[in-house]
Amino acid sequence: MTYLAACRSPEEPPDSTERPSLVNAVTVDVEDWLQSVMDPDLPLTDRFRADTHRVLEAFARHNIKGTFFVLGLAAEKAPDLVRAIDAAGHEVQSHGYGHRWVHTQSPEEFRRDVDRSKKLLEDIIGRPVVGYRAPAFTIIRDSLWALDVLVETGIAYDSSVFPVRVRWYGIKGAPWFPHRLRTSSGNELVEVPVASYRLFRRRLPLGGGGYFRLAPSRMIHAAIRQTNRAGHAAAIYMHPHEYAPVHRSAAGRSISWRTRMHQGVGRKCFPRKVDSLLSHFAFGTVGDLLNAAGTLPTYQHSQTGCHLVSASIC
């Protein structure tokens, strides 16, 4: 795989009718539910190993390769699992080291977190790690400085900017399709946002995770179809724990019924919804998506909004 073509300087993009066939990306955030949802200081359980193997089995049934954004703590606890993901032909990329929200860290803390995760994964798989996704998509308008840190640590593409503003994350008005991002310092990297759905004049979050659990399959399919018909590839995401029942206790304390209900609704249908998507659309890794995308438009974020830098058809 090469990211050099996808990360070259922007040129005038070809007409959409001349683009190669679209390849959507299927991605997995490898983490443990208790540590990522309940408390980042909780130790990881062993459940994420079995849950991740369920995802690998599902991908193997459909003969599909995906991108696995692996948490450093998970890689440290289960290096054999990371090697198994890599050996199966999937991409291994970074989800940071600890599941800490980006905007709660200082730039130096964030740099150490990304660097630690990147080097750990590279030592395990013996190949460069060039992609990153922030825990809980927490590169928001107040933490755009993190994009420069990613470039400086050797990251070529990011998948952290959620194109819909929700309670804890997202940037309203951010491009909802793959594009290049130019930082205020003049650095550039490729941004691959997860899928969303335009309903009338509103853009709704519908790229994976809990949104897949709650939304009907017909609506999820419509979101991917809408994106593809607009000439763009879509990226979806999931977590291994969505393939298993919700935890009932954490580190010796019970989990409230409200949390279990909120996190558990729709889990039984989740694997079937993913199987349906993988059967109906062309999916591959983020690398496959970028290598098929051709020249991408360039945008620049600021504290007040996002604007187009290079001319494009988008």
Side-chain angles (χ1 to χ4, degrees):
M1 298 177 186
T2 174
Y3 299 94
L4 295 178
C7 298
R8 64 182 181 271
S9 298
E11 302 167 358
E12 187 68 18
D15 184 81
S16 60
T17 58
E18 297 176 356
R19 288 188 175 187
S21 299
L22 290 169
V23 178
N24 301 297
V26 57
T27 68
V28 185
D29 295 351
V30 180
E31 57 191 46
D32 185 48
W33 182 78
L34 290 182
Q35 194 268 347
S36 62
V37 175
M38 296 293 295
D39 184 345
D41 292 323
L42 285 174
L44 278 72
T45 71
D46 285 327
R47 284 183 54 167
F48 77 93
R49 295 173 184 259
D51 295 344
T52 303
H53 278 293
R54 290 188 181 99
V55 177
L56 289 170
E57 290 164 6
F59 287 7
R61 286 197 303 272
H62 293 276
N63 194 28
I64 284 175
K65 306 303 180 187
T67 296
F68 288 68
F69 293 100
V70 183
L71 193 70
L73 287 171
E76 207 166 59
K77 186 177 179 68
D80 55 318
L81 177 63
V82 179
R83 284 189 284 267
I85 294 169
D86 180 64
H90 303 290
E91 278 187 1
V92 173
Q93 307 294 357
S94 172
H95 197 34
Y97 179 78
H99 204 276
R100 298 191 179 278
W101 294 359
V102 175
H103 56 268
T104 66
Q105 303 177 65
S106 69
E108 191 50 45
E109 288 171 333
F110 179 65
R111 184 188 303 275
R112 287 197 298 269
D113 182 274
V114 174
D115 219 28
R116 186 176 185 182
S117 166
K118 189 174 185 297
K119 290 177 179 176
L120 172 63
L121 293 170
E122 289 173 343
D123 285 345
I124 293 173
I125 64 174
R127 67 180 82 240
V129 168
V130 298
Y132 175 82
R133 175 175 290 155
F137 301 102
T138 47
I139 293 184
I140 59 176
R141 208 170 292 287
D142 290 340
S143 54
L144 290 173
W145 50 261
L147 297 171
D148 282 308
V149 175
L150 292 178
V151 174
E152 292 161 6
T153 54
I155 296 297
Y157 79 78
D158 175 59
S159 184
S160 306
V161 178
F162 203 77
V164 183
R165 180 61 181 170
V166 293
R167 184 178 183 185
W168 301 115
Y169 53 87
I171 297 179
K172 184 178 180 179
W176 47 272
F177 42 80
H179 58 282
R180 293 183 62 83
L181 264 184
R182 182 174 297 171
T183 72
S184 58
S185 300
N187 290 317
E188 289 189 5
L189 77 168
V190 172
E191 183 65 36
V192 184
V194 296
S196 57
Y197 181 56
R198 185 174 178 83
L199 183 64
F200 302 113
R201 294 188 176 184
R202 290 192 63 190
R203 184 154 294 280
L204 305 177
L206 206 65
Y211 306 110
F212 274 13
R213 288 192 288 110
L214 300 174
S217 282
R218 182 175 297 179
M219 191 173 184
I220 299 168
H221 281 240
I224 307 301
R225 193 175 299 113
Q226 182 186 79
T227 302
N228 290 169
R229 285 176 177 171
H232 305 293
I236 64 171
Y237 74 98
M238 66 192 75
H239 307 91
H241 57 72
E242 284 153 345
Y243 275 72
V246 72
H247 290 259
R248 302 185 67 88
S249 62
R253 63 178 188 264
S254 63
I255 298 172
S256 72
W257 66 268
R258 182 173 298 177
T259 298
R260 282 189 279 119
M261 183 175 69
H262 176 264
Q263 291 290 317
V265 170
R267 286 203 183 202
K268 287 184 178 180
C269 298
F270 189 91
R272 290 200 300 272
K273 289 179 178 178
V274 172
D275 281 340
S276 178
L277 276 175
L278 299 184
S279 297
H280 283 84
F281 298 93
F283 280 99
T285 67
V286 174
D288 294 333
L289 180 157
L290 294 178
N291 289 332
T295 304
L296 298 173
T298 302
Y299 287 79
Q300 183 162 3
H301 282 296
S302 69
Q303 290 299 318
T304 57
C306 180
H307 66 274
L308 182 66
V309 175
S310 70
S312 77
I313 60 171
C314 302

